[in-house]
mmCIF file of all heavy atoms in Angstrom:
data_model
loop_
_atom_site.group_PDB
_atom_site.id
_atom_site.type_symbol
_atom_site.label_atom_id
_atom_site.label_comp_id
_atom_site.label_asym_id
_atom_site.label_seq_id
_atom_site.Cartn_x
_atom_site.Cartn_y
_atom_site.Cartn_z
ATOM 1 N N SER A 1 86.914 87.013 100.823
ATOM 2 C CA SER A 1 87.079 88.151 100.062
ATOM 3 C C SER A 1 87.162 89.313 101.043
ATOM 4 O O SER A 1 86.811 89.233 102.202
ATOM 5 C CB SER A 1 85.862 88.289 99.166
ATOM 6 O OG SER A 1 84.712 88.554 99.979
ATOM 7 N N ILE A 2 87.443 90.547 100.464
ATOM 8 C CA ILE A 2 87.569 91.723 101.325
ATOM 9 C C ILE A 2 86.332 91.994 102.129
ATOM 10 O O ILE A 2 86.338 92.282 103.350
ATOM 11 C CB ILE A 2 87.972 92.943 100.489
ATOM 12 C CG1 ILE A 2 89.335 92.758 99.888
ATOM 13 C CG2 ILE A 2 87.891 94.255 101.244
ATOM 14 C CD1 ILE A 2 89.707 93.878 98.956
ATOM 15 N N ARG A 3 85.230 91.857 101.443
ATOM 16 C CA ARG A 3 83.988 92.260 102.011
ATOM 17 C C ARG A 3 83.490 91.385 103.092
ATOM 18 O O ARG A 3 82.583 91.767 103.963
ATOM 19 C CB ARG A 3 82.882 92.454 100.965
ATOM 20 C CG ARG A 3 83.190 93.504 99.959
ATOM 21 C CD ARG A 3 82.113 93.483 98.871
ATOM 22 N NE ARG A 3 80.855 94.000 99.317
ATOM 23 C CZ ARG A 3 80.437 95.266 99.379
ATOM 24 N NH1 ARG A 3 81.289 96.206 99.040
ATOM 25 N NH2 ARG A 3 79.275 95.513 99.838
ATOM 26 N N THR A 4 83.974 90.069 103.170
ATOM 27 C CA THR A 4 83.341 89.152 104.086
ATOM 28 C C THR A 4 83.679 89.514 105.615
ATOM 29 O O THR A 4 83.057 88.937 106.514
ATOM 30 C CB THR A 4 83.882 87.761 103.955
ATOM 31 O OG1 THR A 4 85.400 87.808 103.905
ATOM 32 C CG2 THR A 4 83.434 87.205 102.509
ATOM 33 N N GLY A 5 84.631 90.344 105.873
ATOM 34 C CA GLY A 5 84.938 90.743 107.218
ATOM 35 C C GLY A 5 83.843 91.669 107.816
ATOM 36 O O GLY A 5 83.813 91.858 109.127
ATOM 37 N N TYR A 6 82.934 92.342 107.024
ATOM 38 C CA TYR A 6 82.031 93.152 107.519
ATOM 39 C C TYR A 6 80.941 92.490 108.374
ATOM 40 O O TYR A 6 80.526 91.343 108.058
ATOM 41 C CB TYR A 6 81.289 93.856 106.393
ATOM 42 C CG TYR A 6 82.140 94.648 105.523
ATOM 43 C CD1 TYR A 6 81.583 95.159 104.401
ATOM 44 C CD2 TYR A 6 83.428 94.983 105.756
ATOM 45 C CE1 TYR A 6 82.366 95.965 103.446
ATOM 46 C CE2 TYR A 6 84.250 95.668 105.033
ATOM 47 C CZ TYR A 6 83.733 96.199 103.803
ATOM 48 O OH TYR A 6 84.412 96.979 102.981
ATOM 49 N N GLY A 7 80.374 93.196 109.391
ATOM 50 C CA GLY A 7 79.237 92.671 110.090
ATOM 51 C C GLY A 7 79.398 91.227 110.584
ATOM 52 O O GLY A 7 80.416 90.892 111.316
ATOM 53 N N GLU A 8 78.616 90.336 110.192
ATOM 54 C CA GLU A 8 78.569 89.014 110.750
ATOM 55 C C GLU A 8 79.406 88.076 109.897
ATOM 56 O O GLU A 8 79.323 86.858 110.125
ATOM 57 C CB GLU A 8 77.185 88.440 110.838
ATOM 58 C CG GLU A 8 76.278 89.325 111.802
ATOM 59 C CD GLU A 8 74.873 88.690 111.968
ATOM 60 O OE1 GLU A 8 74.618 87.723 111.303
ATOM 61 O OE2 GLU A 8 74.167 89.212 112.780
ATOM 62 N N GLY A 9 80.106 88.549 108.842
ATOM 63 C CA GLY A 9 80.771 87.607 107.956
ATOM 64 C C GLY A 9 79.853 86.629 107.230
ATOM 65 O O GLY A 9 78.659 86.971 106.933
ATOM 66 N N ARG A 10 80.462 85.548 106.998
ATOM 67 C CA ARG A 10 79.630 84.423 106.178
ATOM 68 C C ARG A 10 78.694 83.697 107.076
ATOM 69 O O ARG A 10 79.010 83.547 108.306
ATOM 70 C CB ARG A 10 80.616 83.529 105.518
ATOM 71 C CG ARG A 10 81.351 84.087 104.392
ATOM 72 C CD ARG A 10 80.359 84.186 103.153
ATOM 73 N NE ARG A 10 79.896 82.889 102.796
ATOM 74 C CZ ARG A 10 80.484 82.031 102.027
ATOM 75 N NH1 ARG A 10 81.776 82.357 101.513
ATOM 76 N NH2 ARG A 10 80.074 80.900 101.713
ATOM 77 N N MET A 11 77.687 83.062 106.523
ATOM 78 C CA MET A 11 76.792 82.179 107.306
ATOM 79 C C MET A 11 76.628 80.837 106.545
ATOM 80 O O MET A 11 76.545 80.846 105.319
ATOM 81 C CB MET A 11 75.382 82.889 107.478
ATOM 82 C CG MET A 11 75.425 84.042 108.403
ATOM 83 S SD MET A 11 73.758 84.517 108.847
ATOM 84 C CE MET A 11 74.077 85.919 109.922
ATOM 85 N N LEU A 12 76.454 79.757 107.305
ATOM 86 C CA LEU A 12 76.065 78.519 106.772
ATOM 87 C C LEU A 12 74.905 78.001 107.438
ATOM 88 O O LEU A 12 74.726 78.262 108.722
ATOM 89 C CB LEU A 12 77.284 77.481 106.979
ATOM 90 C CG LEU A 12 78.522 77.688 106.124
ATOM 91 C CD1 LEU A 12 79.512 76.621 106.514
ATOM 92 C CD2 LEU A 12 78.161 77.633 104.626
ATOM 93 N N CYS A 13 73.983 77.349 106.823
ATOM 94 C CA CYS A 13 72.751 76.848 107.433
ATOM 95 C C CYS A 13 72.971 75.363 107.572
ATOM 96 O O CYS A 13 73.384 74.620 106.660
ATOM 97 C CB CYS A 13 71.526 77.136 106.593
ATOM 98 S SG CYS A 13 70.052 76.380 107.253
ATOM 99 N N THR A 14 72.779 74.843 108.743
ATOM 100 C CA THR A 14 73.058 73.366 109.028
ATOM 101 C C THR A 14 72.154 72.406 108.206
ATOM 102 O O THR A 14 72.352 71.237 108.217
ATOM 103 C CB THR A 14 73.058 73.053 110.550
ATOM 104 O OG1 THR A 14 71.734 73.451 110.990
ATOM 105 C CG2 THR A 14 74.124 73.653 111.245
ATOM 106 N N SER A 15 71.119 72.953 107.678
ATOM 107 C CA SER A 15 70.244 72.095 106.839
ATOM 108 C C SER A 15 71.041 71.557 105.605
ATOM 109 O O SER A 15 70.630 70.570 105.039
ATOM 110 C CB SER A 15 68.932 72.794 106.332
ATOM 111 O OG SER A 15 69.281 73.807 105.444
ATOM 112 N N GLU A 16 72.080 72.327 105.282
ATOM 113 C CA GLU A 16 72.933 71.909 104.183
ATOM 114 C C GLU A 16 73.802 70.728 104.590
ATOM 115 O O GLU A 16 74.249 69.999 103.687
ATOM 116 C CB GLU A 16 73.828 73.045 103.758
ATOM 117 C CG GLU A 16 73.052 74.277 103.312
ATOM 118 C CD GLU A 16 74.040 75.350 102.924
ATOM 119 O OE1 GLU A 16 74.934 75.024 102.130
ATOM 120 O OE2 GLU A 16 73.887 76.500 103.428
ATOM 121 N N ILE A 17 73.973 70.492 105.808
ATOM 122 C CA ILE A 17 75.040 69.389 106.228
ATOM 123 C C ILE A 17 74.372 68.275 107.072
ATOM 124 O O ILE A 17 75.099 67.431 107.435
ATOM 125 C CB ILE A 17 76.162 70.080 107.067
ATOM 126 C CG1 ILE A 17 75.644 70.993 108.172
ATOM 127 C CG2 ILE A 17 77.067 70.931 106.078
ATOM 128 C CD1 ILE A 17 75.483 70.297 109.440
ATOM 129 N N HIS A 18 73.021 68.336 107.314
ATOM 130 C CA HIS A 18 72.265 67.242 107.944
ATOM 131 C C HIS A 18 72.103 66.147 106.892
ATOM 132 O O HIS A 18 71.902 66.407 105.795
ATOM 133 C CB HIS A 18 71.024 67.717 108.467
ATOM 134 C CG HIS A 18 71.201 68.462 109.784
ATOM 135 N ND1 HIS A 18 71.723 67.847 110.947
ATOM 136 C CD2 HIS A 18 70.813 69.700 110.196
ATOM 137 C CE1 HIS A 18 71.721 68.787 111.968
ATOM 138 N NE2 HIS A 18 71.137 69.846 111.495
ATOM 139 N N LYS A 19 72.136 64.866 107.290
ATOM 140 C CA LYS A 19 71.896 63.701 106.589
ATOM 141 C C LYS A 19 70.249 63.702 106.403
ATOM 142 O O LYS A 19 69.557 63.342 107.276
ATOM 143 C CB LYS A 19 72.352 62.461 107.203
ATOM 144 C CG LYS A 19 73.837 62.460 107.252
ATOM 145 C CD LYS A 19 74.283 61.136 107.878
ATOM 146 C CE LYS A 19 75.808 61.049 108.071
ATOM 147 N NZ LYS A 19 76.325 59.895 108.791
ATOM 148 N N ARG A 20 69.837 64.123 105.185
ATOM 149 C CA ARG A 20 68.398 64.280 105.029
ATOM 150 C C ARG A 20 67.826 63.094 104.275
ATOM 151 O O ARG A 20 68.518 62.330 103.587
ATOM 152 C CB ARG A 20 68.099 65.513 104.131
ATOM 153 C CG ARG A 20 68.371 66.827 104.833
ATOM 154 C CD ARG A 20 67.727 66.839 106.220
ATOM 155 N NE ARG A 20 67.556 68.149 106.712
ATOM 156 C CZ ARG A 20 67.121 68.370 107.987
ATOM 157 N NH1 ARG A 20 66.901 67.466 108.734
ATOM 158 N NH2 ARG A 20 66.970 69.620 108.390
ATOM 159 N N PHE A 21 66.532 62.915 104.455
ATOM 160 C CA PHE A 21 65.858 61.810 103.698
ATOM 161 C C PHE A 21 65.700 62.338 102.317
ATOM 162 O O PHE A 21 65.705 63.517 101.874
ATOM 163 C CB PHE A 21 64.435 61.569 104.272
ATOM 164 C CG PHE A 21 63.489 62.737 104.360
ATOM 165 C CD1 PHE A 21 62.790 63.038 103.400
ATOM 166 C CD2 PHE A 21 63.458 63.516 105.504
ATOM 167 C CE1 PHE A 21 61.939 64.234 103.545
ATOM 168 C CE2 PHE A 21 62.631 64.538 105.668
ATOM 169 C CZ PHE A 21 61.797 64.973 104.558
ATOM 170 N N GLN A 22 65.573 61.425 101.278
ATOM 171 C CA GLN A 22 65.490 61.808 99.911
ATOM 172 C C GLN A 22 64.318 62.736 99.627
ATOM 173 O O GLN A 22 63.267 62.633 99.952
ATOM 174 C CB GLN A 22 65.295 60.382 99.157
ATOM 175 C CG GLN A 22 65.423 60.752 97.579
ATOM 176 C CD GLN A 22 65.317 59.433 96.775
ATOM 177 O OE1 GLN A 22 65.116 58.400 97.439
ATOM 178 N NE2 GLN A 22 65.455 59.512 95.556
ATOM 179 N N GLY A 23 64.695 63.802 98.840
ATOM 180 C CA GLY A 23 63.623 64.656 98.363
ATOM 181 C C GLY A 23 63.454 65.833 99.360
ATOM 182 O O GLY A 23 62.759 66.814 99.152
ATOM 183 N N SER A 24 64.159 65.936 100.566
ATOM 184 C CA SER A 24 64.041 67.032 101.428
ATOM 185 C C SER A 24 64.714 68.235 100.900
ATOM 186 O O SER A 24 65.674 68.107 100.178
ATOM 187 C CB SER A 24 64.512 66.655 102.805
ATOM 188 O OG SER A 24 65.966 66.494 102.707
ATOM 189 N N ALA A 25 64.212 69.411 101.385
ATOM 190 C CA ALA A 25 64.807 70.619 100.921
ATOM 191 C C ALA A 25 64.541 71.783 101.902
ATOM 192 O O ALA A 25 63.716 71.539 102.755
ATOM 193 C CB ALA A 25 64.357 71.051 99.553
ATOM 194 N N GLY A 26 65.187 72.852 101.698
ATOM 195 C CA GLY A 26 64.861 73.997 102.538
ATOM 196 C C GLY A 26 65.825 74.126 103.673
ATOM 197 O O GLY A 26 66.712 73.367 103.972
ATOM 198 N N CYS A 27 65.755 75.365 104.275
ATOM 199 C CA CYS A 27 66.657 75.714 105.346
ATOM 200 C C CYS A 27 65.807 75.810 106.631
ATOM 201 O O CYS A 27 64.885 76.609 106.797
ATOM 202 C CB CYS A 27 67.349 77.050 105.059
ATOM 203 S SG CYS A 27 68.519 77.574 106.340
ATOM 204 N N LEU A 28 66.116 74.960 107.667
ATOM 205 C CA LEU A 28 65.246 74.950 108.828
ATOM 206 C C LEU A 28 65.671 75.945 109.869
ATOM 207 O O LEU A 28 67.015 76.110 109.938
ATOM 208 C CB LEU A 28 65.213 73.571 109.374
ATOM 209 C CG LEU A 28 64.681 72.477 108.477
ATOM 210 C CD1 LEU A 28 64.748 71.116 109.197
ATOM 211 C CD2 LEU A 28 63.343 72.755 107.940
#
């Protein structure tokens, strides 16, 4: 979107893409 170019742009946290054990949550 237009606004995403500002500052640091978008961010992703790798806790979303690690293979986690069942029931884990949160952003490390």
Side-chain angles (χ1 to χ4, degrees):
S1 70
I2 290 174
R3 296 176 67 87
T4 53
Y6 300 167
E8 296 185 357
R10 286 286 301 277
M11 287 192 183
L12 291 177
C13 177
T14 54
S15 67
E16 299 177 51
I17 51 89
H18 282 301
K19 295 177 179 177
R20 291 311 202 187
F21 56 88
Q22 185 176 2
S24 67
C27 181
L28 302 180

